[in-house]
């Protein structure tokens, strides 16, 4: 082999190694297996790839037949954001519920059990937890995915989550650096901007990430946000000041840096995914996450070739690409060495999610068992991270406890009159999600409570500043177990 051919082969393998692509289907396509054999070191899974635990285990076994240390990544936060249980809702409450309980031992146990289930299916890298401090209640993309608005609470639970997940042999990927909590724009759609000064960032956004680093997080995910106090021109994912000067040098982080999805409009709509990927690696990122929306071989080849061309043209130092690829391979090697803690004898882990969801409930008023309630679910459009395909609410869970339950779902534009007409003389259980962010929802809810003071209100997003209804239940999240916990209160169970 000539020197030039050897260099080309090395560059190509390194360029493949830094990609974390997705794909369509519940089995690995031939093109993906071929690229894994050629050097692709990581694959990202989404809800579309998962039908059951057995199917997922078979899929990951397919991938490992090509490469035993392949990183199989997933966005499994629990709570509102689930891929393992995308069709039925998560068996675990999300971060806000865990923060509401504020028991780091519980958070560690929940994360460990979630990690155990991932590991059983062959998943070894989880794009979680969210370390964002949700300081802006109007944040459209973080919200209940955060442990809360208190910096130090978020820090201690982020650390506990990292420890629990990695005790199960699954690498944690703490996100979204340097902090996505103070935004009012969803980076799936546009580029958010955080105008906090440096002192505020140091005292608020960065502290949970410092805690994650001290806890040994194996990966950190960058945010597609513009933070002028840190870099006035480039979003964090593309910023050497943020990824290298701040995260690597100032905070001393040595693990893998992963980008958020490069097809998100904050990057794709401003820089394009090819140029954005080159800039991200040059800035200090080690792995390019792509595949939530673009999930084909052509995308992988476009990004691979863009990275190789950038090295040849001098736009990306060859050593930087080699260093990034080496960090990916180092994490892949860790997954082979990782030895999950044994599950303690007599562990309550199988039911820990429901236990946590019950503890997270905040109930105002005096609940009484309802014999034949009418559940009205006011449904906003879900953000892309959560997805519209995952069911939520309390109707099904309540019907399992109170068979005479009836229900209806009400999209934007619904009025209290519509709900009252459907409910008749039944007691209404009004279920909402982040009502404070949706004027139509608040208006309908206020009119409903005014007309029927006995209404039970269940808020499955951020709790209301002023509780409404004869009984008000804040679940701190919309996972299946949060719905179950609320249903038990309503049913008197």
């Amino acid at each position: 082999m000539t020197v030039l051919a050897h260099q080309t082969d090395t560059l190509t393998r390194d360029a493949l190694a830094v990609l974390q692509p997705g794909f369509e289907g519940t089995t690995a396509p031939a093109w993906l297996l071929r690229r894994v054999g050629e050097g692709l070191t990581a694959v990202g899974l989404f809800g579309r790839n998962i039908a059951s635990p057995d199917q997922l285990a078979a899929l990951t076994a397919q991938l490992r037949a090509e490469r035993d240390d392949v990183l199989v990544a997933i966005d499994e936060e629990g709570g509102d954001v689930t891929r393992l249980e995308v069709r039925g809702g998560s068996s675990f409450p999300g971060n806000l519920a865990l923060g509401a309980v504020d028991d780091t031992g519980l958070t560690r146990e929940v994360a460990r059990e979630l990690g155990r289930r991932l590991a059983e299916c062959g998943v070894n890298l989880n794009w979680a937890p969210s370390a964002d401090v949700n300081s802006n209640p109007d944040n459209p993309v973080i919200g209940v995915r955060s442990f809360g608005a208190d910096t130090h609470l978020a820090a201690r639970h982020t650390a506990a989550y990292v420890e629990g997940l990695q005790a199960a042999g699954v690498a944690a990927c703490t996100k979204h650096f340097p902090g996505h909590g103070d935004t009012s724009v969803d980076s799936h759609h546009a580029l958010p901007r955080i105008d906090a000064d440096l002192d505020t960032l140091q005292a608020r956004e960065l502290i949970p990430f410092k805690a994650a680093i001290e806890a040994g997080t194996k990966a950190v995910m960058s945010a597609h946000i513009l933070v002028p106090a840190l870099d006035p021109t480039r979003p964090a994912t593309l910023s050497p000041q943020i990824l290298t000067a701040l995260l690597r040098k100032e905070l001393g982080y040595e693990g893998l840096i992963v980008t958020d999805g490069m097809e998100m409009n904050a990057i794709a709509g401003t820089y394009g995914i090819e140029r954005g990927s080159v800039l991200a690696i040059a800035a200090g990122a080690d792995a390019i996450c792509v595949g939530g929306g673009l999930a084909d071989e052509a995308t992988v080849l476009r990004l691979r070739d863009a990275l190789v061309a950038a090295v040849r043209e001098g736009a990306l130092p060859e050593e930087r690409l080699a260093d990034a690829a080496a960090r990916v391979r180092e994490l892949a090697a860790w997954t082979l060495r990782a030895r999950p803690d044994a599950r303690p004898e007599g562990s309550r882990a199988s039911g820990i999610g429901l236990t946590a969801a019950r503890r997270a409930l905040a109930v105002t008023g005096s609940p009484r068992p309802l014999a034949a309630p009418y559940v009205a679910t006011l449904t906003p459009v879900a953000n892309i991270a959560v997805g519209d395909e995952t069911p939520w609410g309390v109707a099904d869970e309540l019907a399992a406890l109170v068979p005479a339950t009836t229900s209806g779902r009400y999209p934007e534009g619904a009025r209290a009159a519509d709900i009252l007409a459907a409910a008749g003389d039944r007691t209404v259980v009004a279920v909402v999600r982040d009502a404070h962010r949706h004027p139509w929802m608040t208006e309908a809810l206020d009119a409903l409570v005014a007309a029927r003071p006995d209404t039970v209100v269940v808020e499955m997003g951020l709790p209301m500043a002023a509780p409404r209804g004869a009984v008000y239940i804040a679940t701190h999240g919309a996972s299946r177990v949060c719905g179950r916990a609320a249903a038990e209160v309503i049913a008197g169970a």
Side-chain angles (χ1 to χ4, degrees), residues 11-369:
L11 278 178
T12 300
R13 292 185 70 83
D14 285 351
L16 280 173
V18 303
L19 302 180
Q20 294 188 349
F23 61 95
E24 300 286 347
T26 54
T27 59
W31 70 262
L32 183 67
L33 296 174
R34 184 169 62 253
R35 299 305 172 190
V36 170
E38 293 173 359
L40 186 68
T41 311
V43 174
L45 301 182
F46 298 86
R48 62 176 179 253
N49 304 123
I50 300 169
S52 70
D54 288 344
Q55 168 270 323
L56 179 54
L59 168 57
T60 59
Q62 261 190 300
L63 295 167
R64 294 212 162 83
E66 294 294 328
R67 182 184 183 119
D68 62 353
D69 67 345
V70 67
L71 290 169
V72 181
I74 197 169
D75 195 4
E76 182 59 49
E77 299 176 16
D80 291 30
V81 179
T82 180
R83 310 303 178 221
L84 275 184
E85 300 180 277
V86 68
R87 292 168 181 80
S90 180
S91 299
F92 301 91
N95 284 4
L96 188 66
L98 295 172
V101 178
D102 196 13
D103 176 346
T104 54
L106 179 67
T107 294
R108 191 175 294 107
E109 192 173 352
V110 166
R112 182 180 169 194
E113 176 61 11
L114 178 58
R116 187 189 66 77
R117 295 191 191 185
L118 289 172
E120 281 185 346
C121 296
V123 176
N124 53 16
L125 172 59
N126 190 8
W127 293 319
S130 168
D132 307 298
V133 179
N134 198 60
S135 55
N136 184 348
D138 292 326
N139 194 316
V141 69
I142 302 300
V144 298
R145 300 168 65 197
S146 165
F147 288 109
D150 180 274
T151 297
H152 296 285
L153 179 145
R156 60 180 173 266
H157 286 278
T158 295
Y161 197 106
V162 167
E163 291 164 356
L165 192 63
Q166 293 185 171
V170 175
C173 182
T174 305
K175 59 190 183 185
H176 306 80
F177 189 82
H180 208 310
D182 190 19
T183 63
S184 57
V185 172
D186 185 343
S187 51
H188 291 90
H189 301 298
L191 179 62
R193 176 186 175 111
I194 293 180
D195 285 313
D197 59 34
L198 191 57
D199 287 344
T200 300
L201 295 170
Q202 289 283 0
R204 186 178 66 190
E205 269 74 15
L206 297 184
I207 286 178
F209 290 97
K210 292 178 182 177
I213 292 169
E214 290 172 5
T217 187
K218 293 295 178 181
V220 168
M221 179 176 282
S222 66
H224 301 333
I225 55 175
L226 187 66
V227 188
L230 300 174
D231 186 330
T233 59
R234 287 189 178 178
T237 295
L238 313 183
S239 169
Q241 292 97 310
I242 294 174
L243 298 189
T244 298
L246 176 58
L247 182 54
R248 285 275 185 235
K249 295 181 179 176
E250 184 177 333
L251 301 187
Y253 176 65
E254 292 296 329
L256 191 75
I257 299 176
V258 183
T259 72
D260 207 344
M262 295 301 285
E263 69 270 47
M264 292 165 63
N265 212 41
I267 298 296
T270 52
Y271 293 86
I273 63 167
E274 292 97 332
R275 181 171 175 239
S277 296
V278 170
L279 291 173
I281 298 294
D286 305 305
I288 301 296
C289 176
V290 66
L294 299 172
D296 54 24
E297 184 177 23
T299 299
V300 172
L301 297 181
R302 282 166 56 199
L303 296 183
R304 179 201 67 183
D305 294 347
L307 291 166
V308 170
V311 170
R312 289 176 174 161
E313 294 164 5
L316 174 63
E318 185 175 354
E319 316 81 66
R320 172 77 276 272
L321 180 61
D323 174 63
R327 289 182 189 273
V328 175
R329 295 178 187 125
E330 182 180 338
L331 180 57
W334 175 85
T335 65
L336 292 181
R337 300 191 305 270
R339 292 291 179 267
D341 290 350
R343 193 173 180 178
E345 204 62 39
S347 170
R348 60 185 180 129
S350 60
I352 191 63
L354 182 55
T355 297
R358 287 168 175 157
R359 290 181 63 186
L361 291 183
V363 181
T364 302
S366 301
R368 57 180 179 82

